[in-house]
Amino acid sequence: SSFLKHHLKCRGWWDHVNCWPHAAVGDVVSQPCPGFLHTTGQVFRNCTELGWTDPYPPHDIACEYGFNESLPLEVHSSQRYFLFVRIMYSVGYSVSLVFLITAVAILSLLRRLHCTRNFIHVQLFLSFIFRAVLIFIRDAVLFSNEDSFHCHIYTVSCKFATVLSNYCIMANYSWLLAEGYYLYKLVSASLFSQRKPLSWYIILGWGTTLLSLTLCLFMFPLLSCWEMRRSEWIWWILRLPVLLFIIVNLLFFLCILKILVAKLRTQDMPGNEFNHYRKLAKSSFLLVSLFGLHYILFAFLPHKVRGRTYEIWNFIELAFASTQGFVVALLYCFLNAEVQNEIQRRWRRWKMKHRVQLEHRRKCGSMSQSGGGPTSIALLFKSPNSEW
């Protein structure tokens, strides 16, 4: 192998038309003309001591196309499409990050909001934050090198970011399962529904997906940064846990709905408490239904889909995936009546405190201007033995 490495004088690279693989001195490498030219010609390069030679025959002869002419419309259209899609999902993930970080800060800093339910909310927010950050890291690594982007030469860091971002996707659904399980235990109020410690929810939310992550790491050499569907069976390691989480969660919500209806009929639950649980169940069920439907529809996109159908499908998937964090933060924090009431209480308290301070300063100022006795500053500089 050392002999082979010594003689590999020509490194693989992207020449803006073709991908050229690693080659040893003396090798003659051929590449077909770009697919968008719809020709069957080939271009050759020799690997020498000085590196790659110029291509022969020239592209305009081999491919029967003048490269000084404008490229086919489909090439420019494809470039604009992928640039637009990347900007779109980058904006979506950025907006989600801002709302999620703000939501975590609100639920963490306001002490009255500290409870098991909001602890689960925060963990769900964190899973979406990690997912967005890892998507940005993956893109930064992938687009930093054209060889990686065009020639599918993936670095370890890019693959690792892809695996971790998929782990976070699984964590999104496992924490949604924790939300459903907690709500079920809350409304069932059975003899066996003792409070579970927070560590149990952490194991459920972060730990249940570690097995799939470990299996993915074993398949590390076969992975790509683009999550391409060439090795379809690998992605079932990621899909099966998520599908299981979605199905179990839907079963939880059917049970919750049944319990709430039964308690409403028997008037076993006060109206305010019932409305509170109903709103919680409605928010959680909406998220599970939306995210579950989204995952089931787009996780099974046929790998043979091409053309306009693929572009539309891919755009909708990435638009929805990038804004999921925003939807979660909106439903569980910013539209949460408990959070809104606490923020309003804090705001009223701050305004009252500010008003009192202004009144105090105004009174102090009016006393000093009216000359009603020596001020504290005058007393400070007056000597003990001096007379008034």
Side-chain angles (χ1 to χ4, degrees):
S1 60
S2 60
F3 176 81
L4 187 63
K5 288 180 181 177
H6 180 72
H7 283 76
L8 284 176
K9 293 289 185 181
C10 301
R11 291 181 59 82
W13 69 304
W14 164 253
D15 67 354
H16 301 287
V17 179
N18 291 107
C19 287
W20 297 91
H22 299 296
V25 174
D27 286 351
V28 179
V29 182
S30 66
Q31 289 293 329
C33 291
F36 59 79
L37 295 180
H38 306 294
T39 61
T40 57
Q42 286 191 320
V43 181
F44 298 84
R45 285 181 189 268
N46 294 336
C47 179
T48 68
E49 289 283 349
L50 299 176
W52 290 106
T53 63
D54 290 334
Y56 67 90
H59 282 98
D60 54 349
I61 297 174
C63 303
E64 303 173 358
Y65 186 84
F67 273 77
N68 291 328
E69 302 173 26
S70 59
L71 290 172
L73 184 62
E74 62 186 274
V75 178
H76 294 296
S77 176
S78 177
Q79 289 175 344
R80 285 197 302 269
Y81 168 77
F82 283 110
L83 178 62
F84 176 71
V85 166
R86 189 186 173 198
I87 292 172
M88 178 272 297
Y89 75 70
S90 296
V91 170
Y93 278 118
S94 299
V95 171
S96 293
L97 265 179
V98 170
F99 275 82
L100 287 164
I101 292 171
T102 306
V104 169
I106 290 171
L107 295 183
S108 301
L109 295 176
L110 300 182
R111 284 185 142 192
R112 287 198 174 192
L113 298 177
H114 290 185
C115 62
T116 303
R117 183 181 69 256
N118 287 337
F119 172 82
I120 296 173
H121 291 345
V122 168
Q123 301 304 309
L124 180 63
F125 298 159
L126 288 175
S127 70
F128 278 98
I129 289 172
F130 295 151
R131 173 182 174 179
V133 170
L134 285 162
I135 291 292
F136 286 129
I137 292 173
R138 187 199 66 182
D139 283 3
V141 175
L142 184 64
F143 292 107
S144 64
N145 189 340
E146 287 192 337
D147 295 343
S148 299
F149 178 66
H150 292 283
C151 302
H152 312 309
I153 303 170
Y154 301 119
T155 60
V156 173
S157 57
C158 188
K159 288 184 177 184
F160 197 64
T162 300
V163 171
L164 288 180
S165 63
N166 277 281
Y167 168 74
C168 290
I169 291 172
M170 290 188 289
N172 295 159
Y173 288 94
S174 64
W175 277 108
L176 276 175
L177 178 62
E179 295 272 4
Y181 174 78
Y182 175 78
L183 191 57
Y184 170 72
K185 300 301 281 183
L186 205 63
V187 300
S188 62
S190 66
L191 295 173
F192 303 101
S193 61
Q194 291 99 358
R195 279 191 177 183
K196 297 287 183 184
L198 294 179
S199 57
W200 193 91
Y201 287 101
I202 292 174
I203 293 170
L204 174 62
W206 296 112
T208 51
T209 53
L210 283 176
L211 178 61
S212 294
L213 177 65
T214 307
L215 289 172
C216 277
L217 291 176
F218 275 117
M219 309 297 174
F220 206 69
L222 301 174
L223 296 175
S224 69
C225 290
W226 271 119
E227 303 175 276
M228 291 184 178
R229 301 164 197 268
R230 287 175 293 181
S231 302
E232 190 78 8
W233 61 273
I234 294 178
W235 302 109
W236 277 103
I237 299 171
L238 305 172
R239 290 173 186 162
L240 280 176
V242 174
L243 290 173
L244 183 62
F245 295 150
I246 292 169
I247 292 168
V248 174
N249 229 343
L250 289 174
L251 291 175
F252 273 138
F253 284 113
L254 287 175
C255 293
I256 290 167
L257 185 63
K258 183 179 177 182
I259 292 168
L260 288 177
V261 170
K263 290 196 173 187
L264 182 64
R265 284 177 178 174
T266 58
Q267 297 183 347
D268 193 29
M269 185 182 289
N272 291 337
E273 188 179 355
F274 176 83
N275 287 332
H276 177 65
Y277 289 150
R278 183 182 59 80
K279 288 177 182 178
L280 276 177
K282 187 178 177 182
S283 298
S284 299
F285 183 72
L286 179 63
L287 286 180
V288 172
S289 302
L290 276 176
F291 293 1
L293 183 63
H294 161 261
Y295 192 85
I296 291 169
L297 281 177
F298 292 102
F300 300 99
L301 170 67
H303 63 279
K304 293 183 180 179
V305 171
R306 292 289 182 272
R308 186 64 64 184
T309 305
Y310 171 79
E311 290 182 356
I312 295 170
W313 195 278
N314 190 55
F315 178 84
I316 295 172
E317 178 187 9
L318 291 174
F320 194 83
S322 63
T323 54
Q324 280 183 344
F326 165 73
V327 174
V328 167
L330 202 66
L331 285 176
Y332 278 146
C333 182
F334 297 102
L335 296 181
N336 188 325
E338 185 183 9
V339 174
Q340 290 176 348
N341 291 337
E342 179 61 16
I343 291 175
Q344 289 172 5
R345 190 186 71 83
R346 289 289 187 112
W347 173 248
R348 288 194 298 268
R349 182 179 169 186
W350 180 85
K351 282 175 65 178
M352 186 178 295
K353 185 178 178 182
H354 186 64
R355 193 181 301 127
V356 169
Q357 288 176 345
L358 285 176
E359 288 293 329
H360 180 69
R361 288 173 187 170
R362 197 177 292 116
K363 286 181 181 178
C364 290
S366 61
M367 285 179 64
S368 61
Q369 289 175 9
S370 63
T375 63
S376 56
I377 297 176
L379 289 171
L380 181 64
F381 288 99
K382 190 123 176 116
S383 62
N385 297 323
S386 59
E387 297 179 2
W388 291 100

